[in-house]
Amino acid sequence: MSNVPRYSFEPSRDKVLLRKQLQAERQTLIDRHQRAMHLQEVLREWLMGRDDKAIGAYWPIKGEFDALPALYRWSEADDDRRIGLPVINRETKQLRFHVWYPGCPMEPDAYDIPKPKGTEVFEPQMLLLPCVGYGPGGVRLGYGGGFYDRTVAALQPRPVTVGLCYSNGFLPMLRAQADDLPLDALITDDYLRREQMDGPEVYGLYLTAAVGGVTMAMANDLIVLFLGLEVLSISFYVLAARRDLTNLNRPPLPPASTAAWRCL
């Protein structure tokens, strides 16, 4: 019998170990800034078609995608729009959302994550959820604390739940458990948007093509229906879009960054 050790390059099926692997990979992505720019564009374009007025988000940690720049631009279009960041209720282990805006007073929470200090509490119509990973059918892999699951279960009416994740977090073997929070939509940096619908699973492909500083989002031009299949790669479509968009004159968007807004 050979004593040569066997190494596996497959993700671990142990969720504790899997979370550690994915977080480590996310924090060392050499193209994370580019991925974040793409995801900013996709999220902003998607929000333009929504009528929600109150969105609960999160303060990014451990290399998570920062949705606050896109949300701030979204809020500028309507004075009634509100952005919230979560504050943990120690007794119920649920999240309450306090209004956030650039320059608002902040303080660390029990986990040393910045939270708004003394701002209004509101119930969000939509929740943006950070994903450590995601699987077929929009299954979300979170951090394992159950905070969002308990929060969504307690909110009435139930808010729309939107997962945000870099595409390297896709896990084809991930399956939902009985108590997992189902996502209504999932947006990643490879321009894939999944929305829950009755009947077949529908995948809308978001293509962002950048040619010479020109950026364009094609939100609903390509709809692909899959019965039990997953979109594994759309690089062909991206290349085709880049080839055909050489004459566009749409001005580029400013860089996405919250550096000037963070108020620790």
Side-chain angles (χ1 to χ4, degrees):
M1 180 180 294
S2 173
N3 292 323
V4 177
R6 295 177 178 271
Y7 296 97
S8 174
F9 293 94
E10 295 183 359
S12 171
R13 294 180 182 271
D14 181 306
K15 285 191 175 181
V16 175
L17 180 57
L18 185 57
R19 290 184 179 100
K20 293 180 179 179
Q21 292 176 338
L22 289 172
Q23 290 177 61
E25 180 182 351
R26 184 174 63 194
Q27 294 181 77
T28 56
L29 286 171
I30 60 174
D31 61 343
R32 194 174 72 196
H33 177 71
Q34 182 181 6
R35 289 172 181 264
M37 292 286 288
H38 291 170
L39 190 41
Q40 288 283 346
E41 175 73 3
V42 177
L43 178 58
R44 285 175 55 188
E45 292 285 347
W46 185 72
L47 287 174
M48 288 174 60
R50 303 283 310 182
D51 58 5
D52 309 274
K53 297 287 188 180
I55 298 180
Y58 56 91
W59 188 271
I61 60 172
K62 301 178 181 179
E64 291 173 340
F65 167 68
D66 188 352
L68 294 178
L71 289 178
Y72 179 64
R73 294 291 295 272
W74 164 82
S75 69
E76 288 182 311
D78 190 333
D79 291 339
D80 292 331
R81 291 178 175 176
R82 291 181 293 177
I83 306 167
L85 292 180
V87 176
I88 299 174
N89 185 313
R90 293 174 181 265
E91 296 180 0
T92 64
K93 301 299 182 181
Q94 297 174 9
L95 303 175
R96 295 180 300 174
F97 287 84
H98 289 240
V99 169
W100 173 89
Y101 54 88
C104 73
M106 303 285 284
E107 63 182 355
D109 67 8
Y111 297 90
D112 205 30
I113 300 173
K115 66 177 182 178
K117 181 180 180 180
T119 58
E120 178 189 356
V121 178
F122 70 94
E123 292 191 354
Q125 297 169 310
M126 176 191 294
L127 283 182
L128 300 185
L129 282 63
C131 300
V132 177
Y134 63 98
V139 180
R140 172 181 179 262
L141 179 67
Y143 289 94
F147 293 107
Y148 282 105
D149 302 70
R150 288 187 291 269
T151 300
V152 171
L155 289 173
Q156 295 296 331
R158 182 188 187 277
V160 175
T161 55
V162 182
L164 298 175
C165 191
Y166 295 129
S167 56
N168 70 291
F170 177 66
L171 303 166
M173 79 297 186
L174 187 65
R175 296 294 181 267
Q177 303 300 313
D179 56 348
D180 281 349
L181 171 68
L183 294 174
D184 297 306
L186 177 66
I187 304 176
T188 76
D189 58 289
D190 65 358
Y191 327 113
L192 168 65
R193 173 172 62 86
R194 180 191 192 281
E195 292 189 272
Q196 297 280 8
M197 299 182 67
D198 294 333
E201 293 184 351
V202 176
Y203 290 81
L205 300 183
Y206 268 93
L207 301 184
T208 300
V211 182
V214 178
T215 303
M216 175 180 179
M218 301 167 57
N220 295 310
D221 293 341
L222 296 174
I223 300 294
V224 183
L225 299 181
F226 285 89
L227 298 178
L229 298 178
E230 296 301 322
V231 176
L232 299 181
S233 173
I234 61 168
S235 57
F236 170 79
Y237 298 103
V238 175
L239 291 174
R242 288 177 175 170
R243 181 196 63 198
D244 296 335
L245 296 177
T246 55
N247 296 319
L248 292 177
N249 294 314
R250 179 176 173 181
L253 295 171
S257 172
T258 55
W261 304 339
R262 294 184 174 174
C263 39
L264 291 177

